[in-house]
Amino acid sequence: MDKVLSNYEFEIGCDEAGRGCLSGPVIAAAVILGDKFENNIINDSKQLSEKKRNLLRSFIEKNALYWAIGVVSPKEIDEINILNASFLAMHRAIDQLDCPKDLIIVDGNRFNAYNDIPHECIVKGDSKYMNIAAASILAKTYRDEYMAKIDKEFPEYNWKKNKGYPTKEHRAAIKEYGATIYHRTTFKLLPDQLSLDL
C-alpha cells in the first residue's frame, strides 16, 4: 500500500462510514499522515477486526500530522440525500484541518469539490493509499462508538451490534417498534410488503 498519491506535503485522505445504514449519522474522516508516519498493519477498515481498528485509531490519532472528523445527522441526510451527506461529512472534516491543503484524495468515484483545492477520486482507495485507509479506520471507529452510545437509548434495535445496517434483526425491530429519531426516513426501512407508517 502506498502512503500517499502525490509528493505534496499536505495531501488529505478522506473516507466515510455509514452510507448504507438505516439509522445513525454518516461520519467522515480527513487525515494527513506526514513524512514520518509508518505502519504496516493499516488497511481498509472493513478488512480489520474491531480490536485492530481501535488500536490503529489510537496510533493514527497520536502519529498523523493532522486528522479530523465530520458528522452529518440523519435529519440532514433526509434533507440532502446520502450521497451529498457523505460529501458534506468529508467537507466538515476538512474544514477542521488547521493547515495548508494541497490535494484531497477520496475513496470512491465521486466527490463535490472543496473550495478550489484539487481532488482525486480513487475506487477502492482505502486498500491502495494509507491516508485513505487511515481515514476509513477513524470514520468507522467513531461511528461505531456513536452507535454503541445511542444503543443505550434504544436497546431494542441492537445498534451496538448491527451499527444501524439493514440486518434482519434491525428490520424486525423497526417493524415491531417503529422508527426512532435516529432513523433515516427517506430510506426504505422495511421491504415493500412490510410497510411502516411514519
Side-chain angles (χ1 to χ4, degrees):
M1 181 183 288
D2 292 325
K3 193 192 292 188
V4 291
L5 174 70
S6 69
N7 293 320
Y8 289 122
E9 185 179 356
F10 296 100
E11 178 185 294
I12 304 163
C14 284
D15 202 2
E16 49 68 33
R19 258 178 76 165
C21 297
L22 303 179
S23 59
V26 62
I27 292 184
V31 179
I32 299 173
L33 294 180
D35 290 339
K36 294 176 182 171
F37 188 94
E38 293 295 337
N39 188 285
N40 297 321
I41 306 166
I42 285 177
N43 199 348
D44 167 14
S45 64
K46 295 182 286 296
Q47 306 299 320
L48 299 166
S49 68
E50 185 175 5
K51 184 179 178 184
K52 273 191 180 168
R53 283 196 299 267
N54 288 327
L55 286 169
L56 286 167
R57 168 175 155 176
S58 296
F59 183 87
I60 293 161
E61 289 176 350
K62 286 186 183 116
N63 293 284
L65 207 54
Y66 298 94
W67 63 271
I69 300 295
V71 180
V72 175
S73 71
K75 185 173 183 293
E76 290 176 298
I77 292 168
D78 287 333
E79 287 168 359
I80 64 174
N81 80 44
I82 186 59
L83 186 62
N84 286 321
S86 298
F87 300 152
L88 178 59
M90 292 184 205
H91 285 200
R92 285 178 175 170
I94 297 165
D95 282 342
Q96 297 173 67
L97 297 175
D98 187 19
C99 64
K101 301 170 179 77
D102 295 326
L103 174 70
I104 299 163
I105 66 170
V106 181
D107 182 48
N109 59 5
R110 292 174 69 185
F111 184 64
N112 285 344
Y114 179 89
N115 298 338
D116 56 353
I117 298 161
H119 68 266
E120 295 275 348
C121 297
I122 298 153
V123 175
K124 297 191 173 154
D126 50 6
S127 61
K128 295 173 183 173
Y129 295 100
M130 202 181 288
N131 56 359
I132 298 179
S136 82
I137 289 164
L138 292 189
K140 171 78 174 148
T141 53
Y142 272 87
R143 191 176 186 283
D144 285 358
E145 185 176 79
Y146 180 88
M147 295 307 292
K149 183 176 147 192
I150 63 172
D151 175 81
K152 292 172 183 165
E153 201 176 333
F154 292 100
E156 56 270 30
Y157 300 90
N158 201 11
W159 290 329
K160 68 180 183 294
K161 184 181 175 192
N162 64 51
K163 313 298 193 250
Y165 282 92
T167 61
K168 283 183 183 175
E169 174 193 45
H170 189 186
R171 285 199 149 125
I174 294 168
K175 183 170 182 266
E176 185 172 352
Y177 302 107
T180 68
I181 56 168
Y182 298 111
H183 281 97
R184 305 170 184 179
T185 58
T186 54
F187 279 47
K188 189 181 262 190
L189 298 179
L190 292 174
D192 290 335
Q193 67 269 29
L194 300 171
S195 63
L196 180 71
D197 293 326
L198 292 172

